[in-house]
Amino acid sequence: MHLRQNTLSRKPNYLYASVLLIFISLICVGYSIVSRDDFDLARQEILLRKIGHELLLQSGDSTSRVLPVKKIAVNEYQISFENELTFQPDSLVNTIQSLLANGPFAPDYVVNVVNSDDASVVFGYAISKNKKDDIIACIGRRQPIGNYMIQIQFEPAGISLAKNEYIIGSLIALAIVGFVFLRTVKPRKSPPDSRNANLLTLGSMSFDAETRKLVINDKTIDLTRTESRVLHIFALSPNEVIERSQLQKEIWEDEGVIVGRSLDMFISKLRKKLEFDPNINIVVKRGKGYKLEISS
């Protein structure tokens, strides 16, 4: 029995340790995802610069630079060039599509070729994961030399997919752990104070049914077993009439003998012991029974 109690007492400790371990694991996974995001961002910039490099080569330029890639919005990037260039739309579409297929990008994106002189869009198209939703036009017309910028906007869900999965997974894991924890660990109820449970207040007196004592002004009055039983019945229903037959039945029936005058004798003895408080008295209700009167 003692071993079982020790096992049960250790159970909450195991649960606390499990919750802490899962929490630490989730934090570690979160840091790893953040690190992975940083790596993916660096890889994205390299791929975008490579797109610019390939477009320069297709334009016949192998010496000028691709300017640093700019992130102009949450999911939008801009590729700029040092010099002017020309491009063939179908080659641009194929080049960007083949390079982005190897990177950590969303499958849905929109590409706009902007003339930096007047901010006009000279060519644009949209690629979707579902090929039927692709929008590509004017692919057979070569564009003249100009100061162009390539702007690529990705589907937002693709960029934050890993984070969303991590957050959702973390919430589910914590919810499961919390549910199991709450089902397993029940709050301990403090045991009732047995002393207060048997202590009744009668005016300025305190009556302890268990120890069969009356206490008033630090004075203790001992009661007999029967006196205590009679007073306890009265104390549970103060200022209420209790029938004589009910008192006799509850006190003496289990002993097999009911004596009418015995009740009167115990009532008389109780009256004397209650005289220390003039606000308490046991009165007779003719034809009905007795009542413990307590006046304030």
Side-chain angles (χ1 to χ4, degrees), residues 274-289:
L274 294 174
E275 286 178 351
F276 291 97
D277 188 343
N279 296 319
I280 303 176
N281 190 25
I282 299 176
V283 297
V284 179
K285 295 296 181 181
R286 298 292 180 184
K288 295 182 179 180

Side-chain angles (χ1 to χ4, degrees), residues 19 39 97 115 120-121 153 237 270:
V19 172
F39 176 79
Q97 194 165 8
N115 190 323
S120 62
V121 177
Q153 182 178 6
S237 303
L270 276 176

Side-chain angles (χ1 to χ4, degrees), residues 28-290:
C28 293
V29 173
Y31 277 120
S32 66
I33 287 179
V34 171
S35 300
R36 180 67 187 178
D37 286 347
D38 292 340
F39 176 79
D40 288 342
L41 287 173
R43 192 159 177 255
Q44 287 172 5
E45 290 192 8
I46 293 173
L47 284 173
L48 292 172
R49 288 182 65 85
K50 189 172 183 180
I51 290 173
H53 171 71
E54 292 294 331
L55 293 178
L56 284 176
L57 291 179
Q58 293 172 14
S59 180
D61 185 351
S62 59
T63 58
S64 64
R65 296 183 303 117
V66 177
L67 299 179
V69 175
K70 293 182 180 179
K71 188 174 183 179
I72 58 178
V74 176
N75 302 303
E76 189 172 0
Y77 299 85
Q78 179 175 284
I79 306 170
S80 303
F81 305 93
E82 183 180 25
N83 295 330
E84 295 180 336
L85 75 154
T86 181
F87 66 92
Q88 185 73 28
D90 53 349
S91 298
L92 181 143
V93 172
N94 293 332
T95 299
I96 293 178
Q97 194 165 8
S98 62
L99 289 175
L100 292 184
N102 299 322
F105 295 98
D108 299 319
Y109 58 90
V110 174
V111 177
N112 285 313
V113 181
V114 180
N115 190 323
S116 58
D117 293 334
D118 56 9
S120 62
V121 177
V122 298
F123 175 71
Y125 66 95
I127 297 295
S128 176
K129 186 176 182 180
N130 187 350
K131 295 298 181 183
K132 295 186 297 183
D133 296 330
D134 289 352
I135 303 174
I136 305 175
C138 306
I139 60 175
R141 303 171 186 172
R142 187 174 186 84
Q143 297 296 322
I145 294 177
N147 292 318
Y148 298 125
M149 299 180 296
I150 312 296
Q151 295 179 351
I152 305 177
Q153 182 178 6
F154 297 95
E155 179 71 25
I159 298 295
S160 58
L161 181 60
K163 292 182 180 178
N164 290 338
E165 289 179 349
Y166 167 68
I167 293 173
I168 294 173
S170 301
L171 291 176
I172 293 174
L174 288 176
I176 293 173
V177 172
F179 176 76
V180 174
F181 182 78
L182 291 176
R183 287 291 301 272
T184 307
V185 180
K186 296 181 179 179
R188 296 180 180 178
K189 296 181 179 179
S190 57
D193 192 339
S194 58
R195 294 174 300 176
N196 293 334
N198 295 300
L199 192 64
L200 299 173
T201 301
L202 303 174
S204 60
M205 291 185 175
S206 296
F207 170 49
D208 192 332
E210 184 177 2
T211 60
R212 303 198 297 270
K213 293 182 182 297
L214 271 174
V215 179
I216 179 171
N217 297 329
D218 297 328
K219 180 179 178 62
T220 301
I221 303 171
D222 294 323
L223 301 176
T224 65
R225 177 174 173 272
T226 304
E227 288 173 347
S228 180
R229 292 178 68 180
V230 173
L231 183 57
H232 190 252
I233 295 172
F234 281 126
L236 293 177
S237 303
N239 296 314
E240 294 182 11
V241 176
I242 300 176
E243 294 182 359
R244 182 184 182 88
S245 59
Q246 179 184 345
L247 286 169
Q248 291 174 332
K249 182 177 180 180
E250 291 189 21
I251 297 171
W252 286 288
E253 186 177 47
D254 57 347
E255 298 178 3
V257 179
I258 299 177
V259 181
R261 291 189 177 182
S262 296
L263 178 60
D264 297 331
M265 178 185 66
F266 286 113
I267 294 292
S268 177
K269 290 182 178 181
L270 276 176
R271 282 199 183 105
K272 291 182 179 180
K273 293 182 178 181
L274 294 174
E275 286 178 351
F276 291 97
D277 188 343
N279 296 319
I280 303 176
N281 190 25
I282 299 176
V283 297
V284 179
K285 295 296 181 181
R286 298 292 180 184
K288 295 182 179 180
Y290 298 91

